[in-house]
Amino acid sequence: MSTESRLGTGSLVIGTWHASVAAFLAAFLGAGDARAADFEVTGDIAAQGYEVASPFGDQVLGRRRLMTTLGLAAYNLQGEYKPFAPDYSIQLRMRLDADFGVDGEEEDFDPANPGRFVPGYDHTPVDLMYGYVEGRNLLDGWLTFRVGRQYTTDVLGWWNFDGGLVRLVTPFYISAEVFGGLEQRGGLPLSTSRWESQGVWRGSGGDIENNQQDYPSFQSASQAPAFGAALESFGPNWIKGRLVYRRVYNLGETFTGQFPAPGGQGFSQVDGLRLSSDRIGYSLSVYLAEIGGIKGGFAYDLYNQLVSKAYGSLDFYPHEKVALGAELDFFNPTYDADSIWNWFTHSPITTALGRVALGSFGGFEATASGGARLWLADGDPETYATAQCQANNPDPVAVANCLKFGIDASTGNDEVFSRTEENRDTTIAPDLLGNVGARYRWSNGFVAADAMLQTGFGDVATNRGNRYGGSVYGKQDVVGGLFWIGGRVSAHRWFDPMREARDAASFSYVVAPELFPWEYTKFRVEWEHDMNPLVGQRFRLLGYITLRVDSNLRGGFGSSYGYLGNAI
Amino acid sequence: MKRPKKRAGRASLLPQWLLLAGLALAVIAALAYGGGAAAQQPQPAPPTVPSGSVPSPDPAPPVPGTVPGPVPPAVPGAPAPAPVPGEIPHGRDHGLYPMFGNEMVPLKWMPPGTKASPMPSDEIFPPQTITIRFNHAWHVKQLKQTCKVCHSAAYKSKRSKDRLMPDPAKTCDNCHDSDHSVLTKVTGGTEDENGKCDFCHMGEGAGAEFRVAKMVIPDPNLRMSHKAHLDRNIDCAQCHGMVAEVELATREQLPRMAGCFSCHAKSGAAQGEAKGHCTNCHITEPSGLMTTSFSTGSLQPPTWLHGAAHTPDWIERHKSVAGTASELCGSCHSNKFCADCHDGKVRPRRVHPNDWISMHPEAGRQDNPRCTSCHQLQTFCADCHRRVGVARDTGSEDRLAGRRFHPPPQEWTTAPRGPRHHAWEAERNLNACVSCHTERDCATCHATKGVRGGSGVNPHPIGFDSKCATAFSRNPRPCLVCHTSNDPLLAPCK
């Protein structure tokens, strides 16, 4: 596809986009009988340009990205808002995420450089982030519902599906929730792959259908039925608990064998309904204002038959401005049930941290945490190879040859050795972690700093590298709310013993002026300059526009003060 | 005009930064255990001292362990009355502060929840300017006046912005030798000292030419019906503390959210009127989200509300709160707010600082931050890796020379497993592998020999046999990637 035609496609999408905004505004502003409701139109436009180089230095992507979102909402469709009375609303947000810096090899298969081809790649994808109708406080407060594309957030993660959710709030300190529909999947119309379980590429388009024999690991998108239920506490505010169950199915045909069968039989396939994920989780939080709190949760993967994640924290407030805490995080990667990686030997990542938080002292706050992350392996990397060779042939010469020239790990004594439990005793490679953060806020600005450290120990068998650095950033109103200036300086260093050539120290600065020409409109420009031995100089220019209009021609940016610094 | 002092003394700016940064542990210990009652009861705020007032020639001595407040103003020529045993002291130098001499108000007299929140929220109760000298203790305990005598409007008030201060013509004038019936022509007493304007009013002439300093009590930013509470026999002290024990009532006697929670601790239908939902009390936008931006600052959750204080490390910590109490997040934040970071297309530098593109291989290897919190490994990560030519979708024979990300095959791939073998890395952080490789890459060696085209290297963990039957029955696809359906090795799993 030529550059011209790609730009043409993008222009068409953007043109359609603007037309839909105009149509919505015209419909709402012009419809007199709809004025009882409150409406809101929001939008973001981000244009950015930067370059990404391959670590080998020869491939360079000139990324020219345009991201724009359009949010439309109508609240209080029932008319005047009354607390605890039924109310209805509609909310949706769409997004265009285009990259006009794509070149031919990424979209069009080139036998001379097949590695860069991305099957089904779409450089101007449009997706519906969410779009639903919601009713609340129905049946005297007992019933809430949502229909459409919607998010749910709980111990099983942040998830998005198309369907319905009904919540029943009972007088017995508990609410019951059921939901069902279709999981949002990459390759389906107006969808992204963001919400799928890990481990499977799903997409659509002629590239994947026509070339799947070259890419047997890739799957054509198909619908994914899902359902679930939850019980949640609705009692005293100091305690919050939620038990949730969710199951998702895969549909459609997919290759199994990754290589064509001999004799021209082609690829083997499976088809039909099969499990994608099946998980149950529980979380609990108990907090007492003058003492502290305890929080924890876990998710159990019923397909993998293991705890896929668990966390817990204990907080103690020795003083109204001091919080002490201990946190534990356990994460065992699991994947879509279509993926082979569930059944590869892998270990959980466990992190334990101690934490102190201070503040606020006249606008100043600080936090610090430190602890360890534990990496586990089945066997001792230092001695495994020698023992493996000795198991095949204990003769010293044979062992030396084995270490030098290798062995066939699929047969004989080696298979027996690797399946013997005592040869796979768990070994631990710890990382040391530390984080500090501080922030000082005043009436029209803030300055903040953070620093991190993560480092391993020992030789290459256990040392997984180190990374440390920090940033100072802030923002200041310089012209009475009209013009703000933000900035960030950052220095980091990293080292990976597995890739010593990628050792680097990097310095970066960002300058970001912001203009508020009208009360609820923001223009921001960011100039980023990174410098390190890997890339030399790298620049990124970003322009950002945020708009919001509501039925009272007023609004805001919907951000808490503390988050103004996140983008900087 | 002086700014009211916080209960916890405001720190000076930059120097305290440095002090705190250097002595963090000492501060914790001192604050936690060294201050005793004084540390837990910071200094109360004095009223605004009007311009033109004259400092008392005989201020109260500072209380040990406390920070002396400003010198209380006094009226020239008005001697302080000597206290009478058994009588509530009063006089012109009383009623200027919550406690005489700007002493600290005992915690037991403060509103419930003060221990958790020493000061009421500036966003909910904006700072006030109080230009009245008033001794509640004297009026209530000595003169036997009830709250209702002066604040009768509270018994009918359904809105937080209702004015609940007494009508001086109907209350003050009953005892004081004054006439407030026409506020533009107030007359003060000529004989009785307590009728003089400056007996109660302070500043701007204190009554000369009918001018007194303006009292500023901004509307609270919350929903509140005093009537609803009083109708349920919830008395004033239950929310405002022991105002009858203090002299001047200031912002500090306004309720704390932790105190509200002693009743407003329940949510949902059929659980009484004291619902615990945030928007029961907090004002909202048309969207139903809480209003969080005010001229006095941005509303943020307190530490004790499920650990949700938005501290400098909140980015790292918020997942456990969102995973446990997402409804709490949804009280203030829209879907868009979460999506901007977790499903956004503009890199948040607070999460990915510096030259993240160069740094992220090491960050991914360290699982810090966890890539899968926001990214789909096989699409977001691997697609980009393909675009720049890092990921491997073709056989080694098709790869250009020098395009190897890992150590050489004799260290990384083949048996025996040396210290740099990929098996250790896969076991420790399999997600790092999945961010570049497709199943075919792994099947090349780990699929069974023969039809499936692999080398037969068994990748399964010890104990796999006990799980495989259940897994196979629910989804046979991953098994069939490496095994044919008639593979004897698969038989135990069927």
Side-chain angles (χ1 to χ4, degrees), chain B residues 404-459:
Chain B
R404 177 168 280 280
F405 188 68
H406 298 300
Q410 57 270 34
E411 293 183 357
W412 183 249
T413 313
T414 58
R417 280 194 216 172
R420 291 158 68 92
H421 197 273
H422 78 277
W424 309 120
E425 284 311 301
E427 290 181 15
R428 289 166 176 160
N429 187 1
L430 187 57
N431 277 345
C433 309
V434 179
S435 66
C436 275
H437 292 281
T438 62
E439 290 182 335
R440 186 164 66 172
D441 296 336
C442 302
T444 302
C445 291
H446 292 293
T448 52
K449 292 178 178 176
V451 173
R452 284 293 179 256
S455 300
V457 179
N458 185 349

Side-chain angles (χ1 to χ4, degrees), chain A residues 239-278:
Chain A
I239 184 169
K240 188 81 177 172
R242 180 176 166 93
L243 175 69
V244 59
Y245 170 77
R246 185 201 304 162
R247 179 182 289 188
V248 183
Y249 288 101
N250 292 327
L251 285 173
E253 197 173 72
T254 178
F255 288 171
T256 52
Q258 299 297 295
F259 305 97
Q265 298 175 50
F267 288 82
S268 57
Q269 299 178 352
V270 294
D271 196 2
L273 187 75
R274 58 197 183 276
L275 193 70
S276 169
S277 65
D278 191 21

Side-chain angles (χ1 to χ4, degrees), chain B residues 138-343:
Chain B
W138 167 262
H139 284 78
V140 177
K141 297 173 73 174
Q142 190 70 29
L143 301 181
K144 309 299 181 190
Q145 303 298 303
T146 64
C147 304
K148 190 174 184 178
V149 169
C150 293
H151 299 289
S152 59
Y155 288 76
K156 297 178 182 176
S157 168
K158 295 181 179 179
R159 302 178 307 173
S160 66
K161 66 180 181 181
D162 290 341
R163 312 311 294 178
L164 307 183
M165 297 296 285
D167 178 348
K170 295 177 181 174
T171 51
C172 308
D173 293 349
N174 292 343
C175 300
H176 291 260
D177 185 17
S178 56
D179 182 358
H180 287 82
S181 53
V182 180
L183 290 177
T184 53
K185 293 184 178 178
V186 176
T187 57
T190 54
E191 297 178 1
D192 194 338
E193 175 70 12
N194 78 5
K196 294 183 182 301
C197 299
D198 62 2
F199 188 79
C200 299
H201 292 282
M202 298 184 291
E204 290 187 24
E209 299 176 357
F210 312 115
R211 284 189 294 108
V212 295
K214 187 178 181 182
M215 189 149 71
V216 180
I217 302 181
D219 293 341
N221 292 312
L222 82 167
R223 297 189 177 107
M224 167 68 196
S225 169
H226 277 86
K227 182 177 186 303
H229 289 76
L230 291 162
D231 285 351
R232 286 165 177 75
N233 291 324
I234 299 164
D235 69 26
C236 308
Q238 217 165 321
C239 300
H240 292 284
M242 300 300 290
V243 177
E245 300 290 346
V246 303
E247 295 192 348
L248 186 71
T250 66
R251 271 181 83 239
E252 295 180 34
Q253 299 301 140
L254 294 171
R256 312 296 200 268
M257 189 163 77
C260 302
F261 270 29
S262 58
C263 293
H264 288 269
K266 300 170 184 174
S267 295
Q271 295 189 12
E273 293 300 315
K275 291 183 168 64
H277 196 270
C278 304
T279 54
N280 193 44
C281 304
H282 288 282
I283 61 175
T284 54
E285 300 290 319
S287 61
L289 299 177
M290 277 170 54
T291 300
T292 55
S293 293
F294 301 99
S295 60
T296 47
S298 285
L299 201 58
Q300 300 210 0
T303 299
W304 51 264
L305 193 60
H306 293 283
H310 291 6
T311 49
D313 61 352
W314 178 239
I315 290 277
E316 289 84 8
R317 295 180 53 247
H318 77 281
K319 64 178 180 181
S320 65
V321 178
T324 306
S326 63
E327 187 188 34
L328 181 66
C329 309
S331 301
C332 299
H333 298 297
S334 65
N335 289 323
K336 178 183 185 304
F337 185 86
C338 304
D340 279 351
C341 265
H342 283 279
D343 190 25

Side-chain angles (χ1 to χ4, degrees), chain A residues 28-63:
Chain A
F28 257 100
L29 295 174
D33 56 354
R35 297 295 295 117
D38 297 289
F39 80 83
E40 180 186 67
V41 179
T42 55
D44 300 303
I45 302 169
Q48 50 186 327
Y50 56 97
E51 292 187 335
V52 180
S54 151
F56 314 115
D58 53 349
Q59 295 292 350
V60 177
L61 299 182
R63 303 203 71 175

Side-chain angles (χ1 to χ4, degrees), chain A residues 95 106 278 496 526 563, chain B residues 314 343 349 365 387 474:
Chain A
R95 172 174 55 193
E106 297 155 65
D278 191 21
D496 181 349
E526 291 184 12
Y563 283 86
Chain B
W314 178 239
D343 190 25
R349 290 195 180 85
R365 194 176 180 209
R387 291 182 67 189
R474 308 187 75 185

Side-chain angles (χ1 to χ4, degrees), chain A residues 83 90 144 269 278 303 395 489 554:
Chain A
I90 301 173
T144 290
Q269 299 178 352
D278 191 21
Y303 172 72
D395 178 71
V489 292
R554 66 176 192 84

